[in-house]
Amino acid sequence: MSDNLEVPSWRDPTLGTMKRVALWLFSEIGEGNSFTMESLLSAFPNQQGSRRMRDLRTFDWEIEPLDRLDRSSYLLRRVGRRVWEPGVTRPARGALTSSQRIAILSRDGYKCTTCGIGPGESYPSSDDRGPAILHVARMKTRTAKGLIEEVLRTQCAACNVAERTGQLIPQDSQGAREAVAALSAGQRVQLLVWIMNDSRTRSEVEKVWDLYRVLPADAKQELAAHVGQLVEAEVATE
């Protein structure tokens, strides 16, 4: 849109909240400057200001926390599409094909790249989220040259929602240290390999388990019977 168009006031009550949040960021904060969540919520009390701010990212606005573990302060790195102008729409995205989706899931070992849960598995906490469902999520990442690129990675539905809404809470590092202390020396070596590679090496039996978890119910029963027959035959020959 033309830069000659008059920029409306962010205080205009006839505009939607997302447009008003965009105008507030554009006129009150400015590209390249930081702001606090407290200031945003103060400007838009009881109007879902934080959610509308996140919605702007789908219009190419680059808004990121100054500290990934503390989402109280944000940087407006780039002003995207001027949503308050007539006719502005979200950029089009090509839908993933089935083969593309399977390729991403396979690459990530059919595990959520955030929490590590597999399809159909139960979450370790005692909540009622039900079995895990995996999706291929579109995530934005910054390259070494400072460019924003979209990457595709596997994420469970719970982590995807938590990350998009800014509710993904880091785990207690002290608890992780205690868990590491309980491992054997060999297990700690294996953990270090995973950490250095930023990827978990999956055994062959785990890969088959992942395949089993995504089979239809009748195919699961058929495979269970097949494995049972193989085990019985092996036991009989011992």
Side-chain angles (χ1 to χ4, degrees):
M1 292 294 174
S2 172
D3 290 334
N4 296 325
L5 290 177
E6 181 179 354
V7 177
S9 169
W10 68 269
R11 300 179 185 275
D12 186 346
T14 64
L15 298 174
T17 303
M18 186 181 72
K19 293 181 180 180
R20 293 182 58 207
V21 168
L23 287 164
W24 180 80
L25 290 169
F26 178 77
S27 58
E28 300 294 325
I29 305 303
E31 193 172 75
N33 297 317
S34 61
F35 63 96
T36 64
M37 180 58 68
E38 182 180 5
S39 64
L40 173 65
L41 298 180
S42 177
F44 300 94
N46 304 320
Q47 296 183 56
Q48 299 183 324
S50 60
R51 177 176 295 181
R52 299 306 165 229
M53 177 195 75
R54 292 190 295 270
D55 290 342
L56 288 173
R57 290 168 176 159
T58 64
F59 288 88
D60 294 335
W61 288 61
E62 294 180 17
I63 307 169
E64 56 193 52
L66 293 178
D67 185 339
R68 189 169 179 81
L69 300 181
D70 177 13
R71 294 174 179 263
S72 61
S73 298
Y74 289 78
L75 172 67
L76 175 57
R77 187 175 293 277
R78 177 177 178 271
V79 171
R81 301 190 180 200
R82 300 188 176 189
V83 296
W84 57 84
E85 295 182 351
V88 173
T89 59
R90 288 182 172 87
R93 284 181 172 180
L96 291 177
T97 65
S98 177
S99 59
Q100 287 175 320
R101 180 176 179 276
I102 292 174
I104 298 299
L105 291 170
S106 177
R107 180 202 66 190
D108 294 337
Y110 287 90
K111 293 288 182 181
C112 174
T113 54
T114 301
C115 71
I117 200 168
E121 294 180 353
S122 299
Y123 289 91
S125 55
S126 57
D127 54 33
D128 58 353
R129 285 181 289 182
I133 299 174
L134 298 184
H135 300 285
V136 174
R138 297 177 184 268
M139 313 296 294
K140 288 189 176 181
T141 184
R142 186 170 298 281
T143 68
K145 296 182 179 180
L147 302 175
I148 296 294
E149 291 185 354
E150 185 179 75
V151 297
L152 301 175
R153 64 187 179 96
T154 304
Q155 229 179 14
C156 70
C159 286
N160 182 254
V161 171
E163 186 161 327
R164 286 189 291 106
T165 58
Q167 298 173 356
L168 195 60
I169 301 173
Q171 298 298 310
D172 178 16
S173 61
Q174 181 59 37
R177 287 173 177 268
E178 293 173 358
V180 169
L183 297 176
S184 67
Q187 289 173 325
R188 280 194 285 270
V189 170
Q190 181 65 74
L191 176 62
L192 181 60
V193 171
W194 293 346
I195 291 173
M196 297 301 292
N197 293 332
D198 194 26
S199 176
R200 175 185 172 188
T201 305
R202 303 187 58 70
S203 67
E204 293 304 312
V205 76
E206 286 177 311
K207 292 177 182 178
V208 176
W209 168 254
D210 289 337
L211 293 173
Y212 167 79
R213 296 294 292 178
V214 296
L215 290 175
D218 56 346
K220 282 184 177 180
Q221 293 178 355
E222 180 181 347
L223 183 61
H226 176 66
V227 174
Q229 292 172 357
L230 290 177
V231 171
E232 289 179 358
E234 291 166 353
V235 171
T237 59
E238 292 182 355

